[in-house]
Amino acid sequence: RKESRRGQRARDRKDTEHSENDVLLVAKLAMSRIESSGELSGSQLVLSRPDESPYAFYCCSEDGEFVVGDWTPRVDDEGKPIVGVNVVREVYRGHLGPALSMERSPHFPDLFLTVGDWRFHVWKLGVAQPLLSCSFSPHYLRCGRWSPHRPGVFFIG
């Protein structure tokens, strides 16, 4: 009995403590559509690289759009923070539903792979259409990954 109680207490303590691998929400961003009214809801997120602006981010919306954003703090003439500024810079239509996978190329930092519904796309920053898109697959696609060693190879599942 003593061992089972100790084990239970250890499990309870472990449930309430935060480990170094936990992710805690530290910012909440309201993303609005640029050309029309409505909110964007992110499904996948890729943060900036060390050589980019620390405030840049890239995500896919629940509606399948590829979103380029920037949450640089903005201030007015008096130096007071401006609240409610839209962080979305570019939005490109890509998938029919949410992207289930999004990854930046390890070899070319301006290329992204998104996978969702029955298609995948390879995007280049600053280009409104995907560089590469597959035709509709007979099976639902769920994941994608760039090869860590070969720049032109990626895997789709």
Side-chain angles (χ1 to χ4, degrees), residues 76-95:
D76 61 13
D77 296 336
E78 298 174 1
K80 295 179 183 176
I82 299 173
V83 181
V85 175
N86 193 8
V87 297
V88 175
R89 299 292 167 252
E90 302 169 28
V91 178
Y92 306 118
R93 186 78 183 142
H95 297 279

Side-chain angles (χ1 to χ4, degrees), residues 8-156:
Q8 180 64 37
R9 276 188 251 137
R11 277 194 301 275
D12 290 343
R13 191 171 45 251
K14 189 175 182 181
D15 289 342
T16 59
E17 294 175 359
H18 294 288
S19 75
E20 63 185 46
N21 296 328
D22 287 347
V23 176
L24 300 175
L25 179 65
V26 294
K28 182 178 177 182
L29 298 174
M31 297 190 302
S32 301
R33 296 187 183 281
I34 295 175
E35 297 175 0
S36 62
S37 63
E39 297 278 322
L40 287 169
S41 179
S43 66
Q44 298 293 320
L45 176 69
V46 175
L47 298 175
S48 63
R49 296 168 46 103
D51 59 340
E52 292 180 318
S53 163
Y55 300 105
F57 68 93
Y58 313 94
C59 70
C60 285
S61 73
E62 290 286 335
D63 295 327
E65 293 121 339
F66 179 70
V67 179
V68 177
D70 181 9
W71 60 39
T72 301
R74 294 178 175 65
V75 294
D76 61 13
D77 296 336
E78 298 174 1
K80 295 179 183 176
I82 299 173
V83 181
V85 175
N86 193 8
V87 297
V88 175
R89 299 292 167 252
E90 302 169 28
V91 178
Y92 306 118
R93 186 78 183 142
H95 297 279
L96 299 176
L100 301 176
S101 177
M102 178 181 183
E103 186 175 272
R104 175 180 251 160
S105 169
H107 305 285
F108 303 104
D110 59 343
L111 292 183
F112 290 84
L113 172 67
T114 61
V115 179
D117 51 57
W118 297 271
R119 305 176 74 179
F120 69 84
H121 300 295
V122 175
W123 300 89
K124 181 175 173 60
L125 291 179
V127 179
Q129 299 294 323
L131 293 180
L132 176 66
S133 293
C134 75
S135 57
F136 285 93
S137 169
H139 305 286
Y140 200 74
L141 303 178
R142 299 186 186 281
C143 59
R145 184 88 183 179
W146 290 98
S147 169
H149 305 292
R150 299 188 64 189
V153 176
F154 52 86
F155 305 92
I156 304 295

